[in-house]
Amino acid sequence: MAREVDALGGQMGLTTDLAMTHLRRVGTSKGPAVQTIRAHVCKELYPRLMQQVMRDQPNLTLLQGTVKSVQLSGGRVVGCVVDLSGVEEVISARSIVLTTGTFLNGLCHEGKKKTVAARLGDKASFELSTFLSDVGVRLRRFKTGTTARIARDSIDYSALNAMDSEPDAGPVSFANRVSKPLHQLLPCWGTHTTEQTHDVIRENLHQSAMFSGQIEGIGPRYCPSVEDKIVRFADKSSHPIWLEQETWYGPEMYVQGMSTSLPAEVQLAMLHTVPGLEDAVMIRPGYAVEYDVADPLQLTQHLMSKLAPGLFLAGQLNGTSGYEEAAGQGIAAGINAARHARDEAPVDFPRSGSFIGVMIDDLVTKGVEDPYRMLTGRAEHRLILRHDNADTRLTPLSKEIGLCSETRWSRFAEKQEMIASGIASLRSVQVSSADNPALAIEGEAPLSDRVAVFELLKRPRVDVERAIYLAEKCGKRLTLPEDREVREQIQLMAIYSEYIDRQEKLVQHSRRMDDLRIPASLDFAKVVGLSYESREKLGRVRPTTVGQASRVPGVRPADIALLIGRLKGYEARVP
Ligand SMILES: Cc1cc2nc3c(=O)[nH]c(=O)nc-3n(C[C@H](O)[C@H](O)[C@H](O)COP(=O)(O)OP(=O)(O)OC[C@H]3O[C@@H](n4cnc5c(N)ncnc54)[C@H](O)[C@@H]3O)c2cc1C
């Protein structure tokens, strides 16, 4: 999703390429379709660079203050009331995007200690929760947590496994040819919990804010706290832990895998049972935070509230967790808020085009039961939605809506041209074992027929370099672009071409369903023949297309068929 944000013209990837402290390619034991890159950024430098970009942005005014409420007139957004250093001001606006994260009614827990705050040191926000519930937004409580921070120089590194960065795994941004971190990339350090760690946790579960019943909010299923892991996976004697440096030069080390809401003294005892952390100094304890989230079922596919046109909601407020999830919604809501303000048609993000589209559709169609994280398995078209082709999927849209710089566009167009011409030459040159009976000697099975060199790329051990070499052995010369990304795309297209073609057919089918619009005036309760359950579920979600209706949990395929038939009749009656 970070690469999709980048392809749409967002800043995340560009700043990450400068501020990264650690970089690796992940998922390498699986196929290229689910591989991606993971970057850690310096927690001080990243926001500093981002703020600079915002200050340098023409036509953008930055104000620091607390939004108290949103003003509506005739149900539509007309402005908001902001507290600017104790002075309340009304700012008029046709569109507003709320991205309040964990701030609404934030409550932090560390053991039995409760602090009214959104994050350690950040004041919670209350008035906006009141405003949202007054307009009819359904609010509920979620929770998330963080780990203790320990002093970098109190760790015994001889007991840890270093995981080095892979500088060649980047860049994150398609606008860059290589990542250009401002300082050297750092390793992460691996260790693990022990039986003693688990004993300390079990003995103190009654003091955990989560297990003592003090926390009402629902926590993230996919990033559980360490106490949650010990209870849920009781048969495991160890869980991995990664130590990550938070900034290049600061003292703080993040203890990935040990998010907790146990009291500080228990956290320290627990840390001291981990190999390498026997003498660790805890700079700050971990804690859990509970906050209000707004039910995303009350949002349109463009992240606009169905209750107040002009009001957009994005990020953790919609029940997600994670930086990329927040960024993906942020750019989609931002684009559509700007278009709403200018009376322009909204931009759709279909499921088949991006993980951003999958996430938004999941949120507004299925709602959330626990903090939503994007997992590749949530997408039905995974071979099409790869991290390496996010530019192909989204740069044209970014250009169309005015978010793509000329430099970025010409780099994109040049890359597409190189891929197309590379594939064309690989397809135009054919080889056979007759050209070179020695092909088998080169370690390749003989060819039963004459085939295009492009076809050789489907063989497991043949990459573009080897295909060129084999062609040369057959007396055929091939010149292909040296660009690493271009060669990677050619290779992936060869490996997956048949599967991708099959997925494209399925995509066409779902596009047709998504093109069938459901008029806002249709009353599902009055559609004769619809099952009671489907009427109730469709009435609650109010899908805007037949495609979306078919994805509402509990809606039966027979009801969708009936709906399609009824819509034809409805269109004929309603002009
Ligand atoms: C303790 C903790 C640890 C986390 N660790 C990770 C992690 O390791 N990896 C990961 O991917 N995700 C992590 N997350 C989740 C991630 O931080 C969030 O999901 C993401 O930052 C949410 O982004 P957001 O833009 O929705 O909100 P936030 O990043 O929380 O930003 C909300 C902003 O809204 C402002 N705001 C709130 N109310 C008002 C108001 N009334 N007026 C004006 N401004 C207001 C706040 O000042 C803040 O700047 C963590 C979250 C927490 C709380």
Side-chain angles (χ1 to χ4, degrees), residues 23-28 32 35-38 166 168-170 387 484 488:
L23 180 70
R24 274 186 84 85
R25 188 170 272 262
V26 292
T28 46
Q35 289 182 20
T36 184
I37 47 179
R38 181 188 64 205
E166 297 171 340
D168 292 340
H387 88 115
R484 194 181 59 153
E488 184 188 33

Side-chain angles (χ1 to χ4, degrees), residues 65-67 99-101 103 119 125 128 146 254 315-316 322-323 326 373:
T66 303
V67 177
T99 60
T100 50
F103 283 65
R119 281 189 303 226
S125 189
L128 270 179
T146 190
Y254 185 86
Q316 193 133 358
Y323 302 128
R373 294 231 65 174

Side-chain angles (χ1 to χ4, degrees), residues 519-537:
S521 56
L522 182 77
D523 184 352
F524 292 103
K526 293 192 179 143
V527 178
V528 181
L530 269 191
S531 70
Y532 178 75
E533 188 184 3
S534 292
R535 276 185 202 183
E536 197 246 337
K537 300 225 153 104

